[in-house]
């Protein structure tokens, strides 16, 4: 069967299987490429229509969706070729079999993707806006933050991911030392301004 899988009639499905394994490895080692922000590139109307039908309108990471599609395409192609051998005694030309596998695999993947989306309700994209780092607590990592002399600080967002920013005190006379906790209150470009936690009762959102 493995030797048959490498023949020209099965070659598109062998390639799809190898690509599927590669994507699975990328996901397994945690590169996080499946967490693409689809909303940034796709309009709302398309998002609610065709993408929902394809299984991309929910919260399923795109690489998981693509892995599922490749798997469905591979299975459909093998089934078509095995059926052709049983009925005709020979597999179909690879182009004809691939066309049928795209249609059948696409339909199967719609069911698979929507099923996966239902069992992954807790997934949220980790893509956040820079402004989401405002009103959050952080820690000065290096140096002392003074007006005109920012220091490097670490903030952990709601997804548990660390962000490293440059911080100056909000008040001109403040100096915020290494290891001190701060609350970011505003920003100018990539520079954040913060209050020492001891100087405010504000809470992070």
């Amino acid at each position: 069967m493995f030797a048959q899988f490498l023949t020209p009639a099965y070659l598109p499905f062998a390639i799809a299987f190898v690509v599927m394994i590669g994507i699975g490895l990328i996901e397994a080692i945690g590169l996080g490429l499946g967490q693409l922000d689809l909303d940034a590139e796709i309009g709302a109307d398309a998002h609610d229509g065709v993408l929902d039908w394809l299984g991309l309108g929910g919260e399923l990471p795109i690489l998981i969706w693509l892995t599922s599609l490749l798997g469905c395409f591979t299975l459909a192609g093998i089934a078509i070729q095995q059926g052709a051998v049983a009925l005709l005694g020979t597999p179909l030309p690879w182009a004809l079999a691939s066309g049928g596998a795209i249609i059948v695999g696409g339909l199967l993947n719609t069911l698979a993707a929507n099923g996966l989306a239902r069992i992954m309700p807790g997934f949220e994209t980790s893509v956040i806006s820079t402004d989401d780092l405002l009103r959050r607590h952080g820690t000065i990592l290096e140096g002392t933050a003074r007006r005109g002399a920012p220091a490097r600080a670490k903030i952990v967002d709601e997804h548990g991911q660390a962000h490293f920013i440059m911080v100056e005190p909000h008040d001109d006379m403040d100096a915020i030392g290494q290891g001190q906790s701060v609350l970011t209150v505003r920003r100018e470009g990539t520079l954040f301004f913060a209050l020492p936690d001891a100087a405010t009762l504000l809470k992070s959102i």
Side-chain angles (χ1 to χ4, degrees):
M1 178 62 187
F2 181 76
Q4 188 180 42
F5 198 53
L6 297 179
T7 61
Y10 287 85
L11 188 58
F13 315 117
I15 293 173
F17 179 76
V18 171
V19 174
M20 180 188 70
I21 295 299
I23 293 174
L25 290 175
I26 291 174
E27 286 289 300
I29 63 178
L31 293 183
L33 297 180
Q35 300 179 9
L36 299 182
D37 186 9
L38 294 176
D39 290 334
E41 300 177 358
I42 300 173
D45 292 339
H47 193 282
D48 293 334
V50 176
L51 292 179
D52 283 336
W53 185 83
L54 290 173
L56 269 173
E59 296 180 335
L60 190 67
I62 191 170
L63 284 192
I64 293 180
W65 178 87
L66 182 57
T67 301
S68 174
L69 177 62
L70 290 170
C72 291
F73 172 76
T74 301
L75 291 175
I78 292 174
I80 289 172
Q81 293 295 51
Q82 291 295 304
V85 170
L87 293 174
L88 306 175
T90 184
L92 298 175
W94 68 265
L96 183 60
S98 295
I102 289 173
I103 296 173
V104 176
L107 293 173
L108 289 175
N109 189 57
T110 298
L111 299 175
N114 285 311
L116 287 170
R118 282 194 293 271
I119 64 176
M120 296 179 64
F123 175 80
E124 296 180 355
T125 179
S126 61
V127 177
I128 67 169
S129 166
T130 303
D131 286 336
D132 291 335
L133 299 180
L134 292 172
R135 302 293 183 186
R136 292 197 174 276
H137 292 280
T139 303
I140 301 296
L141 296 180
E142 300 169 0
T144 298
R146 295 185 175 88
R147 182 54 63 92
R152 189 164 176 260
K154 174 183 176 181
I155 292 179
V156 177
D157 65 23
E158 66 269 28
H159 303 289
Q161 294 183 332
H163 301 266
F164 300 93
I165 61 174
M166 299 304 293
V167 170
E168 285 188 16
H170 175 68
D171 297 327
D172 290 345
M173 302 305 295
D174 279 344
I176 310 173
Q178 181 175 339
Q180 190 168 350
S181 180
V182 297
L183 178 67
T184 56
V185 293
R186 66 184 178 92
R187 75 178 179 91
E188 294 179 3
T190 59
L191 180 62
F192 286 77
F193 295 84
L195 293 170
D197 271 347
T200 180
L201 295 179
L202 293 175
K203 302 297 182 182
S204 62
I205 59 174

